[in-house]
Amino acid sequence: MEEGRKINVGILGATGTVGQRFITLLSAHPWFVIHALGASPRSAGKPYASAVNWKQATPIPSAVKTVVVRECKPEHFADCAIIFSGLDADAAGDIEAAFRAAELAVFSNAKNYRRDPNVPLIVPLVNPGHLSIIPQQQALHSPPLSKGFIVTNANCSTTGIVIPLAALEKAFGPLELLLVTTMQAISGAGYPGVASLDIMDNIVPHIGGEEEKIEWETLKILGGVQEDDQGAKSFDMHANHPLRVSAACNRVPVIDGHTECVSVRFARRPPPSPQQVREALAAFTPDAKALGCPSAPRHTITVHEEPDRPQPRLDRYYQDGAGVSVGRVRQCPVLDIKFVVLSNNVSIGAATSSIINAELAVLKGVVAA
Amino acid sequence: MEEGRKINVGILGATGTVGQRFITLLSAHPWFVIHALGASPRSAGKPYASAVNWKQATPIPSAVKTVVVRECKPEHFADCAIIFSGLDADAAGDIEAAFRAAELAVFSNAKNYRRDPNVPLIVPLVNPGHLSIIPQQQALHSPPLSKGFIVTNANCSTTGIVIPLAALEKAFGPLELLLVTTMQAISGAGYPGVASLDIMDNIVPHIGGEEEKIEWETLKILGGVQEDDQGAKSFDMHANHPLRVSAACNRVPVIDGHTECVSVRFARRPPPSPQQVREALAAFTPDAKALGCPSAPRHTITVHEEPDRPQPRLDRYYQDGAGVSVGRVRQCPVLDIKFVVLSNNVSIGAATSSIINAELAVLKGVVAA
Amino acid sequence: MEEGRKINVGILGATGTVGQRFITLLSAHPWFVIHALGASPRSAGKPYASAVNWKQATPIPSAVKTVVVRECKPEHFADCAIIFSGLDADAAGDIEAAFRAAELAVFSNAKNYRRDPNVPLIVPLVNPGHLSIIPQQQALHSPPLSKGFIVTNANCSTTGIVIPLAALEKAFGPLELLLVTTMQAISGAGYPGVASLDIMDNIVPHIGGEEEKIEWETLKILGGVQEDDQGAKSFDMHANHPLRVSAACNRVPVIDGHTECVSVRFARRPPPSPQQVREALAAFTPDAKALGCPSAPRHTITVHEEPDRPQPRLDRYYQDGAGVSVGRVRQCPVLDIKFVVLSNNVSIGAATSSIINAELAVLKGVVAA
Amino acid sequence: MEEGRKINVGILGATGTVGQRFITLLSAHPWFVIHALGASPRSAGKPYASAVNWKQATPIPSAVKTVVVRECKPEHFADCAIIFSGLDADAAGDIEAAFRAAELAVFSNAKNYRRDPNVPLIVPLVNPGHLSIIPQQQALHSPPLSKGFIVTNANCSTTGIVIPLAALEKAFGPLELLLVTTMQAISGAGYPGVASLDIMDNIVPHIGGEEEKIEWETLKILGGVQEDDQGAKSFDMHANHPLRVSAACNRVPVIDGHTECVSVRFARRPPPSPQQVREALAAFTPDAKALGCPSAPRHTITVHEEPDRPQPRLDRYYQDGAGVSVGRVRQCPVLDIKFVVLSNNVSIGAATSSIINAELAVLKGVVAA
């Protein structure tokens, strides 16, 4: 990054939960400057402060209070080098496609294009290499694109677990089996999201589509990019070492922070010991950090020794929620190793991932800064 | 039971959480009448209403308000045919032993004697046959006993799962693997128990000793009683078909009701389908019901078809918490079948189990009514 | 009530929160039998069990599971002697008017007609005498009615306080000043109602329109019915002894039960002592009980002596929520006396009030049974 | 403050809730440096990180992790110019007296000396002038002291309201009547403090001694210091314009932040309008800020215009909890004006007040820096 030059970014879905988080995080970003905010036609034309129902614990950054919200049309965002999308899935499909077609670089939190064979699904602390699919995504577009593309980040509950799993595969080779039970915060459902009558003094043992997302996304993210004889690239879905994933998802009365109980079996026999696992997790340094992404956490995985950690209320805001916490690493009598992961679903599980993805794209020259 | 004759019962630890639950349940019992209440020396001598810090949602039954609390010494309970113990583990060891030695029949919620090779660990809807160890328990006592014995019931989180697991083994043969993640209510920790600062807006992914209890108790309860050539009986710990159990236990901000996510693998290949599992669970009728225990639930296992049930707040008080609820029965990509169990930890998970155990003992003639 | 004859009742808004409560309460009513259920056109034609998103802690009464839901049109309810309305305010206005015009007796929870000068606003444990306005309501209708009318009950937070206030005025004469701060449960906002992100670990110090309702409804309910020289009746709004009311309303993270901190000043000097107030509250016997309403609570006002009661979680379900609890009666250094009231907002604060109102109307011959 | 010189401070009760907050705040203080930590004999001799059960959402500052905890004896703190006490009331009385007698300057959160006629009770944004009693406190000590003294800060629920009340008295003259209903966070009770079974889904309408504290402390803080003919100083308890205060205190399921509903009557007729009150609150600038206390908030009173603010979850961490938020300023039909105050009970309501008090004492030369 050239000293002193800032990159204009736009935020779609700026009044929503993820949008508010983008604004909070980007208002102090060293490279990016919020240039344009997009929301529904109902909000368009209003100053941001009167369009939004602000729900963050810090006030609206003063720089965006008077920014006039725009409709989510590409022509209103032409002067943005990067677009962050916090749109809901029902709107994201068409709008993100239109922005890409208008040669804009879109970093999306929505689920719509995660399964697209030419769209990378990137957890920035895990698989930035998947950005290599972008030229193919642009070439196959009709008409072909030179600058526009879509990068998605993962579902929040997937993100939390793939970071330590990537660390384990890096250290000990492929995993064979993964069983995860999630306890997910209400903020993962957006606003108004979960009704208080449904979750106070309660557990809801079901989140629509969530288990399928974890079971599928984990394979795409932990897998590699393969190339056939004609040079066509595709995601291998961890095919070299098939990985079976079983997820059970629960909504719990916690505001922020997804807690996940994980059991894994390694291909390698004998498997690593709990102590080896702890050390590998603590030592994990992702490329995003090595490359110098300013939003990458200083400690990617914090390994807790206390028997009762991590806990969402105590650990979710460490490093602004950009890393993950792992604790209770121990043997699993059924698979090999079990542990607990805590990740901040609105930070590394959502907006922070998009932002680091964009930082990676800048550093790798995928986005023209 | 002879018409019209009631059996005198005593309650130890009567001012504690489990003791209060015993009083609530027993105050309307068709066979048992509360005759004596025991608590710490600090409470002894006071009328129950002034000794207790009552925390139930129904008022103190008027019949016990003025009952004078006694010290937990056998001589004060000599006229009780049955003793229910809601004592804490630190007091239960000595006191329960003293009561047994005084020829009293003790039904205990405490963990102290659960691992004793001559004490049955009985979940009444699962393994009432284990009462057959009692003559040996009495014979090996020094001096031998004719009426005194101890029966324990299981840890609350174990109880919730062994009921559906027993139904599955009855229908489909032995299980091989069991992986369970619990989300346990605060009432399981007694009073004052969990500090509000520790659990509001939080998950604590650790309950001391709980995982070990589930992993061990499950084997004792689901296993049988074997007899050697000399006629000595012992618990076989499911040895004929070794069962590996892995538990991950969490405390969650729910008042009553333990929710548990379970995955199992059957020995039998191919395993039963989810639909077969659902039917077997719904059809399960334990001996306790067949024998006519008045506190046994009408429906032992309620199988939910809705995708988001069971939920503790909606399902925990059904049938006064005497049965369990199972939902989300589906295939597990790692083991065979996964599902969610909800049990009321203060009812079937504690006091109700003791009471049905006592009813079974009466019906089987183990207790002289 | 003639032995053995039951009265057909219909429920409007049967799938909503209040409607579900009506069904739960009426399914075991000694006089009334649920004959027809009305809901939105979206639900009409479906069996109740598939139309409703049932949120009660007890299962749907089996008798109503298969009842086919009807549209809220009077012709579908012609064979009902009594209509209970749990409709939302946006629908209640027109529908309740149409039912009245069709000569049906409507008992409504909605706010729409509470300020109508010919509609009684009745808290059944306080002012059943206001039923005397009904002949005038019928006579002024165009065309005049012989059987149709509307009776409303009060806002839930008003109901909680007017019961003890009526007891105080009965014993000690008129009040002059009333200052109340409410802490209201989320169930008061219906379903989905309050978003969990808005209320977990939070207080919302504002409930739209609620303070105005308390300040106005209290005067109508505690006031009398006056008659002018021409025999025209009107509500006097406590005019003989003007009463100033100030309310501050808060939403709190409690599921059921409104807690209200009340300070009052009496006209009478010297004012009664706290002990006199306690005795007057405990002794209060409303006409509804004297007349024999089956749903009137056995103890109208439970006066707590413990320093830390009433509490919603411990006291809200006593007597099925049909009475109120008062505690901490003490001197107020600013006004005269202060105390805490707890009332179950979904029982006496809503459906139970409507039902007792209907029972009163039957007993007084206002409804033809 | 001389550039670059830091003042050594000690913290008593360093492992408790208030002590942890002191450490968090002081670890980044521009003037003060944590020099010594004191706790119970059980903790003494251990490194802080192993003595404490850390409950803050930010990690233990690394500078204090290895500090060895000392017993709370003055000789271990001789090199501290300032002592902050977060001791519990049962220990604070003797220990703080001993520290004062040893010529140490003690700034205490405990209640023990608040009613002492020679100890100032200071809310730093309100009555720093009360420091003028210190020479008398030292002179009357036996033997007389030259440097040692005790300064207390107020109860957390008192602190929240006296700040806006002081602003009102400054602008509009004396208040006559004050009625306040509090909704207090669980962190106000320390750790373990409130049992989760007592407060989840509940309100406890009683906090022992709290109402008396508010009713008494408010008079001492808002009153002045008077001097008799012999030059003896005393606190006038607002005697020139008697002020009657009535408090009703409630514990609510909120982690941090006390919400208080306040109604006041002014001596002045006519009273100020709501808009005048809003302006006076927003304009209030306390001496602590004018004098340059580094921990004084930039905005002392944030006045909210939105109808549903302040809310604890959204507003408690603004400015690190050093200011207060006021909203819903409106007319009171019973007194004159009513409004809602939100204050962070662990910041301005506890540790932050002590710290600003110490800053004031340094700036005024009461403490030798």
Side-chain angles (χ1 to χ4, degrees):
Chain A
M1 283 293 299
E2 198 183 321
E3 197 61 40
R5 274 211 43 234
K6 287 231 172 178
I7 299 169
N8 282 348
V9 305
I11 300 170
L12 305 181
T15 56
T17 305
V18 176
Q20 294 182 27
R21 190 76 192 150
F22 272 127
I23 286 173
T24 302
L25 290 167
L26 291 170
S27 68
H29 197 276
W31 298 353
F32 301 147
V33 60
I34 299 172
H35 183 75
L37 302 177
S40 68
R42 196 181 56 248
S43 297
K46 295 184 191 165
Y48 183 69
S50 41
V52 73
N53 186 1
W54 187 258
K55 293 287 172 185
Q56 309 299 305
T58 50
I60 305 181
S62 51
V64 304
K65 274 190 182 172
T66 54
V67 170
V68 175
V69 176
R70 309 174 183 190
E71 276 196 72
C72 292
K73 297 187 173 169
E75 57 267 32
H76 301 322
F77 292 78
D79 41 4
C80 292
I82 288 170
I83 301 296
F84 292 108
S85 167
L87 291 167
D88 285 338
D90 52 359
D94 291 346
I95 294 176
E96 294 178 358
F99 273 66
R100 173 174 61 181
E103 293 285 15
L104 287 160
V106 178
F107 294 84
S108 170
N109 264 277
K111 68 178 179 188
N112 307 58
Y113 293 100
R114 287 183 193 153
R115 294 190 177 225
D116 185 306
N118 294 302
V119 170
L121 172 59
I122 300 185
V123 172
L125 309 177
V126 173
N127 62 327
H130 287 200
L131 285 170
S132 66
I133 200 85
I134 287 178
Q136 178 170 307
Q137 182 188 148
Q138 295 176 318
L140 293 176
H141 192 270
S142 165
L145 299 169
S146 61
K147 298 195 301 178
F149 60 80
I150 293 173
V151 167
T152 62
N153 47 284
N155 187 41
C156 47
S157 56
T158 310
T159 301
I161 56 171
V162 292
I163 296 171
L165 296 180
L168 294 182
E169 293 210 316
K170 188 174 175 187
F172 307 114
L175 295 165
E176 266 183 13
L177 298 174
L178 163 63
L179 212 149
V180 57
T181 301
T182 72
M183 295 172 281
Q184 300 183 223
I186 55 173
S187 60
Y191 183 83
V194 183
S196 55
L197 278 172
D198 279 335
I199 200 65
M200 273 185 63
D201 183 20
N202 205 17
I203 300 288
V204 180
H206 177 67
I207 302 175
E210 195 81 359
E211 296 175 355
E212 294 75 8
K213 285 183 202 164
I214 292 178
E215 295 176 359
W216 194 91
E217 293 182 5
T218 296
L219 300 183
K220 182 165 179 180
I221 295 163
L222 292 182
V225 178
Q226 63 195 2
E227 202 166 339
D228 69 11
D229 299 345
Q230 281 71 45
K233 290 181 169 177
S234 61
F235 299 104
D236 72 11
M237 300 299 291
H238 214 272
N240 293 340
H241 300 85
L243 169 59
R244 272 153 53 205
V245 182
S246 176
C249 291
N250 301 280
R251 187 75 68 192
V252 297
V254 165
I255 295 173
D256 285 329
H258 289 353
T259 308
E260 309 185 59
C261 292
V262 175
S263 283
V264 292
R265 181 182 160 89
F266 295 86
R268 151 176 160 175
R269 301 283 93 193
S273 71
Q275 184 54 25
Q276 289 173 314
V277 164
R278 264 179 233 119
E279 289 165 9
L281 293 172
F284 179 62
T285 303
D287 291 349
K289 190 162 160 43
L291 287 168
C293 292
S295 300
R298 209 151 60 91
H299 302 107
T300 303
I301 301 175
T302 301
V303 178
H304 293 264
E305 299 292 337
E306 307 91 324
D308 61 352
R309 296 285 277 269
Q311 295 178 19
R313 198 164 79 76
L314 297 180
D315 298 310
R316 64 194 171 198
Y317 299 128
Y318 179 54
Q319 302 185 113
D320 247 340
V324 303
S325 288
V326 172
R328 305 208 67 219
V329 180
R330 60 210 193 283
Q331 277 180 321
C332 174
V334 168
L335 304 184
D336 291 336
I337 292 283
K338 55 184 173 182
F339 54 86
V340 177
V341 190
L342 186 274
S343 61
N344 186 317
N345 55 297
V346 293
S347 299
I348 191 62
T352 304
S353 271
S354 279
I355 293 172
I356 308 178
N357 280 345
E359 293 169 358
L360 282 163
V362 169
L363 287 169
K364 295 188 165 208
V366 181
V367 162
Chain B
M1 283 293 299
E2 198 183 319
E3 197 60 40
R5 276 212 40 236
K6 287 228 174 181
I7 299 170
N8 282 347
V9 305
I11 301 170
L12 304 181
T15 56
T17 305
V18 176
Q20 293 181 28
R21 190 77 191 148
F22 272 127
I23 285 173
T24 303
L25 290 167
L26 290 170
S27 68
H29 196 276
W31 298 354
F32 301 149
V33 61
I34 298 172
H35 183 75
L37 302 177
S40 68
R42 197 180 56 249
S43 296
K46 296 184 191 164
Y48 184 70
S50 40
V52 74
N53 186 1
W54 188 256
K55 293 286 173 185
Q56 309 299 305
T58 50
I60 305 180
S62 51
V64 304
K65 275 189 181 172
T66 55
V67 171
V68 175
V69 175
R70 309 174 184 192
E71 277 196 71
C72 291
K73 297 187 173 170
E75 58 266 32
H76 301 323
F77 292 78
D79 41 4
C80 292
I82 288 171
I83 302 296
F84 292 107
S85 167
L87 291 168
D88 285 339
D90 52 358
D94 291 345
I95 294 176
E96 294 178 359
F99 273 65
R100 174 174 59 182
E103 293 284 14
L104 287 161
V106 179
F107 293 84
S108 171
N109 263 277
K111 68 178 179 190
N112 306 59
Y113 294 100
R114 287 184 194 151
R115 292 190 178 225
D116 186 304
N118 293 303
V119 170
L121 172 58
I122 300 185
V123 173
L125 309 177
V126 173
N127 63 327
H130 287 200
L131 285 170
S132 67
I133 201 86
I134 287 179
Q136 178 169 307
Q137 182 189 149
Q138 295 175 319
L140 293 177
H141 194 270
S142 167
L145 300 169
S146 61
K147 298 194 301 178
F149 60 80
I150 294 173
V151 168
T152 62
N153 47 283
N155 186 42
C156 48
S157 56
T158 310
T159 302
I161 56 171
V162 292
I163 296 171
L165 296 180
L168 294 183
E169 293 209 319
K170 189 174 175 186
F172 307 114
L175 295 164
E176 266 183 11
L177 299 174
L178 163 63
L179 213 149
V180 57
T181 300
T182 72
M183 294 173 282
Q184 299 183 225
I186 55 172
S187 60
Y191 183 85
V194 183
S196 55
L197 278 172
D198 279 336
I199 200 65
M200 274 185 59
D201 183 19
N202 205 16
I203 299 289
V204 180
H206 178 66
I207 301 174
E210 194 82 0
E211 297 175 355
E212 295 75 9
K213 286 183 203 163
I214 292 177
E215 295 176 0
W216 194 90
E217 293 181 6
T218 297
L219 300 182
K220 182 165 177 181
I221 295 163
L222 292 182
V225 178
Q226 61 195 1
E227 202 166 339
D228 69 11
D229 298 346
Q230 281 71 43
K233 290 181 169 177
S234 62
F235 298 104
D236 72 11
M237 301 299 292
H238 214 272
N240 292 341
H241 299 85
L243 169 59
R244 273 154 52 206
V245 182
S246 177
C249 292
N250 302 280
R251 187 74 69 193
V252 297
V254 165
I255 294 172
D256 286 330
H258 289 353
T259 308
E260 308 185 59
C261 292
V262 175
S263 283
V264 292
R265 180 180 160 92
F266 294 86
R268 151 176 160 174
R269 305 280 92 193
S273 71
Q275 184 54 24
Q276 289 174 310
V277 165
R278 261 177 237 121
E279 288 166 9
L281 294 170
F284 179 62
T285 303
D287 290 350
K289 192 164 159 42
L291 288 168
C293 292
S295 300
R298 210 150 59 92
H299 303 106
T300 303
I301 301 174
T302 302
V303 178
H304 293 264
E305 299 291 338
E306 308 92 325
D308 60 352
R309 296 287 276 270
Q311 295 178 20
R313 197 164 80 74
L314 297 180
D315 298 309
R316 65 193 170 198
Y317 299 128
Y318 179 54
Q319 302 185 115
D320 246 340
V324 302
S325 288
V326 173
R328 304 207 67 218
V329 180
R330 59 211 194 282
Q331 277 179 321
C332 174
V334 168
L335 305 184
D336 290 336
I337 292 283
K338 54 185 173 182
F339 54 87
V340 178
V341 190
L342 185 274
S343 60
N344 186 318
N345 55 297
V346 293
S347 299
I348 191 62
T352 303
S353 272
S354 280
I355 293 171
I356 308 178
N357 280 345
E359 293 169 358
L360 283 163
V362 169
L363 288 169
K364 294 187 165 209
V366 181
V367 163
Chain C
M1 284 294 298
E2 199 182 321
E3 198 59 41
R5 275 212 42 233
K6 287 230 174 181
I7 299 169
N8 282 346
V9 305
I11 300 171
L12 306 181
T15 56
T17 305
V18 176
Q20 293 181 27
R21 190 77 191 149
F22 271 127
I23 286 172
T24 302
L25 289 167
L26 290 170
S27 67
H29 197 277
W31 298 353
F32 302 148
V33 60
I34 299 171
H35 183 75
L37 301 176
S40 68
R42 195 179 57 249
S43 298
K46 296 184 191 165
Y48 183 70
S50 41
V52 73
N53 185 1
W54 188 257
K55 293 285 173 186
Q56 309 299 305
T58 49
I60 306 181
S62 51
V64 305
K65 274 189 181 172
T66 54
V67 170
V68 175
V69 175
R70 310 175 183 190
E71 276 197 71
C72 292
K73 298 188 173 171
E75 58 266 33
H76 301 324
F77 292 78
D79 40 5
C80 292
I82 288 171
I83 302 296
F84 292 108
S85 166
L87 291 167
D88 286 338
D90 52 358
D94 291 346
I95 294 176
E96 294 178 359
F99 273 65
R100 174 174 59 183
E103 292 286 13
L104 288 161
V106 178
F107 293 85
S108 170
N109 264 276
K111 68 178 180 190
N112 307 59
Y113 294 100
R114 288 185 193 151
R115 294 190 176 224
D116 185 306
N118 293 303
V119 171
L121 172 58
I122 300 185
V123 172
L125 308 177
V126 173
N127 64 327
H130 287 200
L131 285 170
S132 66
I133 201 83
I134 287 178
Q136 178 170 308
Q137 181 188 149
Q138 295 176 319
L140 293 176
H141 193 271
S142 167
L145 299 169
S146 60
K147 298 194 301 177
F149 61 80
I150 294 173
V151 167
T152 62
N153 47 284
N155 186 42
C156 48
S157 56
T158 309
T159 301
I161 55 171
V162 294
I163 296 170
L165 296 180
L168 294 182
E169 293 210 318
K170 188 174 175 187
F172 307 114
L175 295 164
E176 267 182 11
L177 298 174
L178 163 62
L179 212 147
V180 57
T181 301
T182 72
M183 294 173 281
Q184 299 182 225
I186 55 172
S187 60
Y191 182 84
V194 183
S196 56
L197 278 172
D198 279 335
I199 200 64
M200 274 186 62
D201 183 20
N202 205 17
I203 300 288
V204 180
H206 178 67
I207 302 175
E210 194 81 359
E211 297 175 355
E212 295 74 9
K213 285 183 203 164
I214 292 178
E215 295 176 359
W216 194 91
E217 293 181 6
T218 297
L219 301 183
K220 182 165 179 180
I221 295 163
L222 291 182
V225 178
Q226 62 195 1
E227 201 167 338
D228 70 11
D229 299 345
Q230 279 72 45
K233 290 181 169 178
S234 61
F235 298 105
D236 71 12
M237 301 299 290
H238 215 271
N240 292 341
H241 300 86
L243 169 60
R244 274 153 52 205
V245 182
S246 176
C249 292
N250 301 281
R251 187 74 68 193
V252 297
V254 165
I255 295 172
D256 285 330
H258 290 353
T259 308
E260 309 186 57
C261 292
V262 175
S263 284
V264 293
R265 182 181 160 90
F266 295 86
R268 150 176 161 173
R269 302 283 93 192
S273 70
Q275 184 54 24
Q276 289 174 311
V277 164
R278 262 178 235 119
E279 289 166 6
L281 293 171
F284 180 61
T285 304
D287 291 350
K289 190 161 159 45
L291 288 168
C293 291
S295 300
R298 211 150 59 91
H299 303 107
T300 303
I301 302 174
T302 301
V303 178
H304 293 265
E305 299 292 337
E306 307 91 325
D308 61 351
R309 297 286 278 267
Q311 295 178 20
R313 197 165 78 76
L314 297 181
D315 298 309
R316 64 193 171 198
Y317 299 128
Y318 179 54
Q319 303 184 115
D320 245 339
V324 302
S325 288
V326 173
R328 304 208 68 219
V329 179
R330 60 209 194 283
Q331 277 179 321
C332 174
V334 168
L335 305 184
D336 290 336
I337 292 283
K338 55 184 172 182
F339 55 86
V340 177
V341 190
L342 186 274
S343 60
N344 186 317
N345 55 297
V346 292
S347 299
I348 191 62
T352 304
S353 272
S354 280
I355 293 172
I356 308 178
N357 280 344
E359 293 169 359
L360 282 163
V362 169
L363 287 169
K364 295 187 166 211
V366 181
V367 163
Chain D
M1 284 294 299
E2 199 183 320
E3 198 59 41
R5 278 214 35 238
K6 286 230 174 180
I7 299 169
N8 281 347
V9 305
I11 300 171
L12 305 182
T15 56
T17 306
V18 176
Q20 293 182 27
R21 189 77 192 149
F22 271 128
I23 286 173
T24 303
L25 290 167
L26 290 169
S27 68
H29 196 276
W31 298 353
F32 302 148
V33 61
I34 298 172
H35 183 74
L37 302 177
S40 68
R42 197 179 56 248
S43 297
K46 296 184 192 164
Y48 184 70
S50 41
V52 73
N53 186 359
W54 187 258
K55 293 287 173 185
Q56 309 299 304
T58 50
I60 305 180
S62 51
V64 304
K65 274 189 182 172
T66 56
V67 171
V68 175
V69 175
R70 309 174 185 190
E71 275 196 72
C72 292
K73 298 187 173 170
E75 57 267 32
H76 301 323
F77 292 79
D79 41 3
C80 292
I82 288 170
I83 302 296
F84 292 108
S85 167
L87 292 167
D88 285 338
D90 52 359
D94 292 344
I95 294 176
E96 294 178 359
F99 273 66
R100 173 173 61 181
E103 293 285 14
L104 288 160
V106 179
F107 293 84
S108 171
N109 263 278
K111 68 177 179 189
N112 307 58
Y113 293 101
R114 287 183 194 153
R115 292 191 178 224
D116 185 306
N118 293 302
V119 170
L121 172 58
I122 300 185
V123 172
L125 309 178
V126 173
N127 63 328
H130 287 201
L131 286 170
S132 66
I133 200 85
I134 287 178
Q136 178 170 307
Q137 181 189 149
Q138 295 176 318
L140 293 176
H141 193 270
S142 166
L145 300 169
S146 61
K147 298 194 302 178
F149 60 80
I150 295 173
V151 167
T152 62
N153 46 283
N155 186 42
C156 49
S157 57
T158 310
T159 302
I161 56 172
V162 293
I163 296 171
L165 295 180
L168 294 183
E169 292 209 319
K170 188 174 176 185
F172 307 114
L175 295 165
E176 266 183 12
L177 298 174
L178 163 62
L179 213 149
V180 57
T181 300
T182 72
M183 294 172 281
Q184 300 183 224
I186 55 171
S187 60
Y191 183 83
V194 183
S196 55
L197 277 172
D198 279 336
I199 200 64
M200 274 185 61
D201 184 19
N202 205 16
I203 299 289
V204 180
H206 178 66
I207 302 174
E210 194 82 359
E211 296 174 355
E212 294 75 9
K213 286 183 202 164
I214 293 178
E215 294 176 1
W216 193 91
E217 293 181 5
T218 297
L219 300 183
K220 183 165 178 180
I221 296 163
L222 292 182
V225 178
Q226 62 194 2
E227 202 167 339
D228 70 10
D229 298 347
Q230 281 71 43
K233 289 181 170 178
S234 62
F235 298 104
D236 72 11
M237 300 299 292
H238 214 273
N240 292 341
H241 298 86
L243 169 60
R244 273 154 52 207
V245 182
S246 177
C249 292
N250 302 281
R251 187 73 68 194
V252 296
V254 166
I255 295 173
D256 285 330
H258 289 353
T259 308
E260 308 184 61
C261 292
V262 175
S263 283
V264 293
R265 181 182 160 91
F266 295 86
R268 150 176 160 175
R269 303 281 93 194
S273 70
Q275 183 54 24
Q276 288 173 312
V277 164
R278 262 178 235 120
E279 289 166 7
L281 293 171
F284 180 62
T285 303
D287 290 350
K289 190 161 161 46
L291 288 168
C293 291
S295 300
R298 211 150 60 91
H299 303 106
T300 303
I301 301 174
T302 302
V303 178
H304 292 264
E305 299 291 337
E306 307 91 325
D308 61 351
R309 298 285 277 269
Q311 294 178 19
R313 198 164 79 76
L314 297 180
D315 298 309
R316 64 193 171 197
Y317 299 128
Y318 179 54
Q319 302 184 114
D320 246 340
V324 301
S325 288
V326 173
R328 305 208 66 219
V329 180
R330 59 210 194 282
Q331 277 179 322
C332 174
V334 168
L335 305 183
D336 291 336
I337 292 283
K338 55 184 173 182
F339 53 86
V340 178
V341 190
L342 186 273
S343 60
N344 185 318
N345 55 298
V346 293
S347 299
I348 191 62
T352 304
S353 272
S354 279
I355 293 172
I356 308 178
N357 280 345
E359 293 168 0
L360 283 163
V362 169
L363 287 170
K364 294 188 165 208
V366 180
V367 162

